[in-house]
């Protein structure tokens, strides 16, 4: 082979080698766990009458050019794909909510689909508020501070002839209310033409009394000033619920401003003073004590979970107080769509068809109940599992023995169904994969129903 031909072949080989080893703009750094693209299901911005966010279009592949799979980057990628402001993107844990605040809250789904919706006017400081692809010298969803590998976007935004980039401190975010006005019905607009009276509120000073399970003592945790609405917003079999808002001076890092005051209705008072033969104050305090036990059991349960279990339940905080001389509980307000999983009588709520999220939630709830029974040496069982997804409230505890032998006092509260509730749960609870993860003893009382 002539030297000229050999040189040509060598040059061609080198070109091919360079082509194979050339850096790929779309290739992620070695060791990155983030995918190149994700599957996204866009949902309606508002839930339907069943409190479910319905799909508005088919699932789509969305390019994910970031090194880290974080919630902020997930929102940026979705915003860029749908050509909407990143600040309006909301990632949901399930099609019934709630909104995720970090990537770890999103459960591992077999289909690996991320559920997103876009809410007009939503504030989110964790991601950019500028439109995807907007030519802005300060920030955008293609910001140079993001984890993108390529800096070509920022290079295009700046040139020596255009002068220095404007500092971030002087940039003003565009008004979303002007550019994306919220959709308001004609009827609502007309109603605004008539006087809308504010809800009547009662400004009171309340003392939050906390019960400590470990020390078995009551302590005055804090004294707050709050506005309690005079009109109840919900009623149960025994109690009425009223919205309460703490004044700005009472709000702290550990105390939010939204709370719920619950007062016993006339029927409950009659049952407490009659059948239970106790006072409303004593029963109300036992209600808080029971809540503290449920919160403790659930925290202990959570501390034992393996990583593959995923998200776990937690109970809101609940305190004893008095309002206008009436014993009451005051509890953290929990936003979201209410769901009951297991009744206080031990009956398990049937799983709706084609609702995998509810099925997983219910299986975890059954596992929690099973654990409470086993960890208490079969002396009691945590029941009445209900709340907003994984945020629970208003528990009931069924005890093996209804009365304390020494004092002849009924354990816990009126909702204690004792062995009736325990047996009903055990008869219908079939151990699932989460029970297996927790290494719970197999429930041999389960009765298969055709």
């Amino acid at each position: 082979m002539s030297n000229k031909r050999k040189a040509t072949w060598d040059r061609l080989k080198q070109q091919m080698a360079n082509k194979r080893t050339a850096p790929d703009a779309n290739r992620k750094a070695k060791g990155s766990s983030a995918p190149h693209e994700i599957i996204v299901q866009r949902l309606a911005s508002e839930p339907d009458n069943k409190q479910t966010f319905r799909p508005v279009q088919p699932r789509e592949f969305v390019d994910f050019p970031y090194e880290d799979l974080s919630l902020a980057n997930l929102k940026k990628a979705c915003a860029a794909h749908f050509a909407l402001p990143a600040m309006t993107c909301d990632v949901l844990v399930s099609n019934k909510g709630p909104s995720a605040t970090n990537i770890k809250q999103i459960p591992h789904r077999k289909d690996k689909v991320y559920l997103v919706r876009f809410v007009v006017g939503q504030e989110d400081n964790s991601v950019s508020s500028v439109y995807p692809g907007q030519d802005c010298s300060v920030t955008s969803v293609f910001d140079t501070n993001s984890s993108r590998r390529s800096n070509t976007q920022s290079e295009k935004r700046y040139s020596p002839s255009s002068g220095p980039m404007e500092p971030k401190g002087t940039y003003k975010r565009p008004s979303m209310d002007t550019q994306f006005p919220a959709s308001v019905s004609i009827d609502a607009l007309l109603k605004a033409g008539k006087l809308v009276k504010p809800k009547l509120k009662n400004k009171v000073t309340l003392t939050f009394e906390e019960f400590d399970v470990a020390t078995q003592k009551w302590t005055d945790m804090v004294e707050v000033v709050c506005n309690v609405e005079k009109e109840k917003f919900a009623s149960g079999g025994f109690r009425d619920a009223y919205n309460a808002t703490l004044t700005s001076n009472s709000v702290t890092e550990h105390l939010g401003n939204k709370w719920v005051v619950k007062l016993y209705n006339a029927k409950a008072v009659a049952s407490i003073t009659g059948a239970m033969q106790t006072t409303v104050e004593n029963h109300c305090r036992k209600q808080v004590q029971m809540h503290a036990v449920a919160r403790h059991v659930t925290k202990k349960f959570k501390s034992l979970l393996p990583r593959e279990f995923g998200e776990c339940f937690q109970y809101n905080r609940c305190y004893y107080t008095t309002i206008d001389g009436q014993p009451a509980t005051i509890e953290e307000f929990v936003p979201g769509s209410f769901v009951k999983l297991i009744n206080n009588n031990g009956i398990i709520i049937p799983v709706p068809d084609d609702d995998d999220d509810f099925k997983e939630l219910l299986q975890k709830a059954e596992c929690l109940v099973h654990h409470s029974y086993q960890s208490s040496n079969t002396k009691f069982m945590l029941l009445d599992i209900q709340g907003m997804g994984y945020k629970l409230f208003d528990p009931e505890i069924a005890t093996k023995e209804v009365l304390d032998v020494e004092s002849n006092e009924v354990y816990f509260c009126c909702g204690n169904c004792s062995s009736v509730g325990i047996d009903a749960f055990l008869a219908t609870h079939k151990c699932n994969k989460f029970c297996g993860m927790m290494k719970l003893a197999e429930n041999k009382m389960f009765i298969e129903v055709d």
Side-chain angles (χ1 to χ4, degrees), residues 277-297:
Q277 295 185 347
T278 186
T279 65
V280 175
E281 178 183 344
N282 289 347
H283 190 274
C284 189
R285 287 187 180 277
K286 287 177 70 174
Q287 192 101 37
V288 177
Q289 291 175 199
M290 180 174 62
H291 193 284
V293 172
R295 185 173 164 88
H296 174 80
V297 169

Side-chain angles (χ1 to χ4, degrees), residues 103-114:
I103 197 70
K104 293 181 180 179
Q105 293 176 339
I106 302 175
H108 176 71
R109 296 167 57 96
K110 292 181 180 179
D111 51 12
K112 297 182 180 178
V113 176
Y114 292 96

Side-chain angles (χ1 to χ4, degrees), residues 16 63 82 91 94 149 184 191 206 215 246 248 272 277:
M16 294 298 292
D63 181 43
F82 292 105
V91 182
S94 74
R149 290 173 56 85
V184 181
K191 284 182 180 179
L206 301 179
T215 62
L246 269 60
S248 58
I272 292 169
Q277 295 185 347

Side-chain angles (χ1 to χ4, degrees), residues 19-294:
K19 189 174 182 180
R20 286 195 299 269
T21 59
D24 185 355
N26 295 322
R27 185 181 300 166
K28 296 183 184 292
K30 186 176 181 181
S32 173
S33 59
H36 291 281
E37 60 184 7
I38 56 177
I39 303 175
V40 171
Q41 174 71 74
R42 184 176 175 183
L43 305 177
S45 60
E46 297 294 333
D48 59 15
N49 57 355
K50 294 184 178 179
Q51 297 302 308
T52 300
F53 294 92
R54 298 295 179 184
V56 295
Q57 60 193 67
R59 297 174 178 178
E60 298 184 35
F61 285 103
V62 172
D63 181 43
F64 193 83
Y66 303 99
E67 299 290 353
D68 299 321
L69 184 59
S70 65
L71 188 64
N73 288 340
L74 184 61
K75 291 182 178 182
K76 290 178 184 179
C78 292
H81 179 81
F82 292 105
L84 289 168
M87 66 179 293
T88 64
C89 183
D90 182 28
V91 182
L92 300 178
V93 174
S94 74
N95 63 350
K96 292 183 179 294
S99 300
T101 56
N102 64 71
I103 197 70
K104 293 181 180 179
Q105 293 176 339
I106 302 175
H108 176 71
R109 296 167 57 96
K110 292 181 180 179
D111 51 12
K112 297 182 180 178
V113 176
Y114 292 96
L115 307 176
V116 302
R117 62 174 182 147
F118 289 89
V119 185
V120 174
Q122 175 171 295
E123 295 290 340
D124 188 348
N125 296 326
S126 64
V127 295
S128 169
S129 60
V130 185
Y131 300 96
Q134 179 178 349
D135 185 17
C136 175
S137 62
V138 180
T139 183
S140 75
V141 293
F142 300 103
D143 196 293
T144 53
N145 292 327
S146 72
S147 53
R148 269 188 180 274
R149 290 173 56 85
S150 174
N151 293 322
T152 56
Q153 190 72 18
S154 60
E155 292 169 0
K156 290 179 181 179
R157 290 199 299 263
Y158 174 76
S159 64
S161 60
S162 64
M165 295 174 66
E166 184 183 2
K168 284 190 176 183
T170 61
Y171 176 70
K172 294 183 179 180
R173 185 165 59 190
S175 171
M176 297 308 302
D177 291 335
T178 301
Q179 299 182 29
F180 287 89
S183 177
V184 181
S185 67
I186 300 298
D187 289 340
L189 295 174
L190 288 173
K191 284 182 180 179
K194 299 184 295 183
L195 176 63
V196 179
K197 294 183 179 180
K199 294 182 179 180
L200 296 176
K201 297 178 181 179
N202 184 20
K203 190 172 184 179
V204 294
T205 300
L206 301 179
T207 300
F208 285 20
E209 291 189 46
E210 182 179 33
F211 179 75
D212 189 299
V213 176
T215 62
Q216 298 287 295
K217 291 182 179 179
W218 287 91
T219 55
D220 291 350
M221 194 193 78
V222 68
E223 187 175 84
V224 301
V225 178
C226 64
N227 295 308
V228 182
E229 292 182 2
K230 292 188 176 182
E231 185 177 344
K232 60 188 177 185
F233 74 89
S235 293
F238 266 58
R239 296 188 293 172
D240 298 326
Y242 301 82
N243 280 316
T245 306
L246 269 60
T247 60
S248 58
N249 293 334
S250 296
V251 176
T252 67
E253 181 181 353
H254 303 290
L255 289 178
N257 69 325
K258 289 187 176 182
W259 294 77
V260 177
V261 172
K262 294 181 180 178
L263 293 165
Y264 291 102
N265 57 33
K267 178 183 176 182
V269 172
S271 298
I272 292 169
T273 56
M276 298 287 290
Q277 295 185 347
T278 186
T279 65
V280 175
E281 178 183 344
N282 289 347
H283 190 274
C284 189
R285 287 187 180 277
K286 287 177 70 174
Q287 192 101 37
V288 177
Q289 291 175 199
M290 180 174 62
H291 193 284
V293 172

